Amino acid sequence: MQTKHPIGILGATGMVGQRFIQLLENHPWFEVAWLAASDRSSGKTYGEAAKWRLDSPLPERVAHMTIAPAEPEGAPKIIFSSIDTPIARELEPRFAGAGCAVISNSSAFRMAPNVPLVLPEVNADHLHLIEEQSWRRESGGYIVTNSNCTVMGPVLALKPIEDRFGIEQIFATSMQAVSGAGYPGVASMDILDNVVPYISNEEEKMEEELLKLLGKLESKPAGHVVKPLGARMSASCNRVPVVDGHTVSVSIKLGRPATREEILAAWAEFRPLAGQGLPTAPDQPVEWAPQNDRPQPRLDRNRGKGMAVTVGRLRPCNVLDWKFVVLSHNTIRGAAGAAILNAELLASLGKLEPVAEAAARV
Ligand SMILES: NC(=O)c1ccc[n+]([C@@H]2O[C@H](COP(=O)([O-])OP(=O)(O)OC[C@H]3O[C@@H](n4cnc5c(N)ncnc54)[C@H](OP(=O)(O)O)[C@@H]3O)[C@@H](O)[C@H]2O)c1
């Protein structure tokens, strides 16, 4: 790619917005050209408005950029969105309607039948759903989403198992980091020395999103639809005093028997993006940790620059067939990194150029 695509970040000052800025610094295909947040931040420089919380310095150029109003006028045609769901429900269609490719982290449209919920290693073909969106026909714009940060790890780990053996039942229990709740998130008095066994709407999101992500794209006379995976799924979600990294214990019942070696081979050989040249794609999306006390958030969350998930503790389950633990970095693989990988996939498929062309015609 010769020139970089200018991109905008909606919700740039938040936890996920900051990750976008960090991960897009020196990105070979995309350049941050526009930042927007709430009216509280609009008109300030990014350095003034954002409470930078990451362990690398805020890039100087970005610190001096002025936060724009959250409106499509004057925004680039590729928008990474990381705003809360009620605001996303109102704003994202406005940007798509104005001809933008909106690559969203929010849950507002994830389950809409014509909106792709995509993890490139798992269901890249679901991107066909873009063509079912009226914005696409009218202005060239569209919405693509990535999943809830907790379900991302289990889905990557389960995809190669589903492909080879089928999955009939899933029990998943999460131990979720505080950064998953945005900044400042859960009050320190509530989470230190504690575990909170409730995260609003999280179990519902995990259950429905997992089945859509592992579902099959079908072509009907009226257009494309996703048929969800026909498995039974039960999730329990807990907040734990970890800064970054969601851990999930998973038990599964398979469609046909598999040995431990066959499951390990399914994970080791799972490299669906190999050779596609997507800059953010990890070489090995599902990494196996053989030690009996891994994965652990502090030790394993940055594998594959935060884009690989780590699986460990594979062992027989006395109720279902097998159980294991999976860990993923919630603000990288589970949010900003996932959206950037979706954008790279869209770019490689030529789905970003038509947005700009359609906009130029308006
Ligand atoms: N954190 C995670 O691990 C994670 C993972 C996956 C998905 N997500 C999703 O990503 C989204 C953002 O999460 P977060 O953790 O980054 O939240 P956050 O830290 O609370 O940040 C929210 C962002 O939205 C902006 N905002 C608030 N009201 C707005 C408005 N009316 N118009 C425009 N912008 C507005 C805020 O700007 P101000 O600074 O000006 O208030 C801030 O930039 C949520 O939908 C969340 O569910 C988060």
Side-chain angles (χ1 to χ4, degrees):
M1 234 166 261
Q2 296 297 308
T3 54
K4 292 190 187 184
H5 291 285
I7 65 91
I9 304 172
L10 194 52
T13 50
M15 265 339 293
V16 178
Q18 295 187 20
R19 276 288 175 205
F20 273 123
I21 288 166
Q22 184 189 52
L23 297 176
L24 289 168
E25 182 69 358
N26 302 319
H27 191 281
W29 298 0
F30 304 124
E31 183 162 59
V32 176
W34 179 90
L35 303 169
S38 76
D39 291 346
R40 294 179 291 278
S41 304
S42 175
K44 296 181 183 164
T45 64
Y46 188 81
E48 287 166 346
K51 198 161 186 176
W52 187 255
R53 275 285 169 270
L54 301 185
D55 56 6
S56 62
L58 168 61
E60 191 73 7
R61 183 183 73 87
V62 173
H64 292 110
M65 287 175 69
T66 301
I67 309 261
E71 294 162 2
E73 292 73 28
K77 293 298 168 193
I78 302 168
I79 297 292
F80 290 114
S81 172
S82 52
I83 47 180
D84 288 333
T85 294
I87 307 156
R89 206 167 277 133
E90 182 206 326
L91 285 185
E92 290 180 353
R94 286 183 52 205
F95 281 79
C100 298
V102 178
I103 301 155
S104 173
N105 271 286
S106 102
S107 63
F109 296 100
R110 284 179 196 150
M111 294 307 294
N114 62 353
V115 172
L117 171 62
V118 170
L119 255 172
E121 292 95 335
V122 171
N123 62 342
D125 60 326
H126 290 198
L127 286 176
H128 284 295
L129 289 180
I130 290 169
E131 310 306 336
E132 313 301 334
Q133 299 179 14
S134 58
W135 308 298
R136 180 74 167 153
R137 292 188 291 277
E138 289 153 14
S139 68
Y142 55 82
I143 298 177
V144 169
T145 60
N146 51 259
S147 78
N148 167 278
C149 47
T150 318
V151 82
M152 185 92 51
V155 167
L156 274 170
L158 291 174
K159 170 68 176 169
I161 298 176
E162 158 62 15
D163 284 350
R164 294 188 184 191
F165 315 107
I167 296 175
E168 294 180 352
Q169 293 178 30
I170 307 159
F171 274 106
T173 302
S174 75
M175 290 149 273
Q176 299 181 217
V178 289
S179 63
Y183 189 84
V186 192
S188 57
M189 289 283 280
D190 288 339
I191 196 66
L192 289 176
D193 185 32
N194 208 7
V195 169
V196 181
Y198 174 70
I199 303 173
S200 174
N201 284 328
E202 196 77 353
E203 293 170 354
E204 294 82 350
K205 283 186 210 164
M206 269 193 88
E207 290 167 359
E208 62 184 12
E209 290 181 24
L210 182 141
L211 300 180
K212 181 172 179 181
L213 281 156
L214 292 174
K216 295 266 177 292
L217 186 78
E218 294 185 345
S219 186
K220 302 268 184 197
H224 290 99
V225 291
V226 171
K227 184 171 179 230
L229 179 71
R232 293 174 67 202
M233 160 81 180
S234 175
S236 302
C237 294
N238 305 282
R239 187 78 69 195
V240 298
V242 163
V243 175
D244 286 320
H246 290 349
T247 307
V248 186
S249 286
V250 181
S251 295
I252 47 174
K253 180 167 172 49
L254 300 176
R256 70 169 187 81
T259 64
R260 176 184 166 85
E261 288 65 36
E262 285 174 321
I263 293 175
L264 293 179
W267 283 331
E269 291 159 18
F270 181 61
R271 294 169 183 240
L273 300 179
Q276 292 190 32
L278 305 183
T280 301
D283 291 340
Q284 180 76 53
V286 180
E287 290 193 18
W288 167 245
Q291 303 90 328
N292 61 11
D293 60 353
R294 302 281 276 275
Q296 295 180 19
R298 237 180 326 131
L299 302 180
D300 296 303
R301 64 191 165 208
N302 288 323
R303 288 190 190 221
K305 297 186 179 155
M307 289 298 287
V309 306
T310 310
V311 286
R313 304 220 58 229
L314 178 65
R315 60 222 191 273
C317 172
N318 291 336
V319 178
L320 303 183
D321 291 327
W322 287 98
K323 54 186 175 179
F324 59 90
V325 178
V326 58
L327 168 83
S328 56
H329 196 306
N330 54 295
T331 61
I332 301 180
R333 178 81 240 198
I340 293 170
L341 189 54
N342 276 348
E344 292 171 359
L345 178 64
L346 288 162
S348 74
L349 296 171
K351 302 262 184 212
L352 293 184
E353 278 73 11
V355 178
E357 283 167 24
R361 285 198 300 275
V362 173

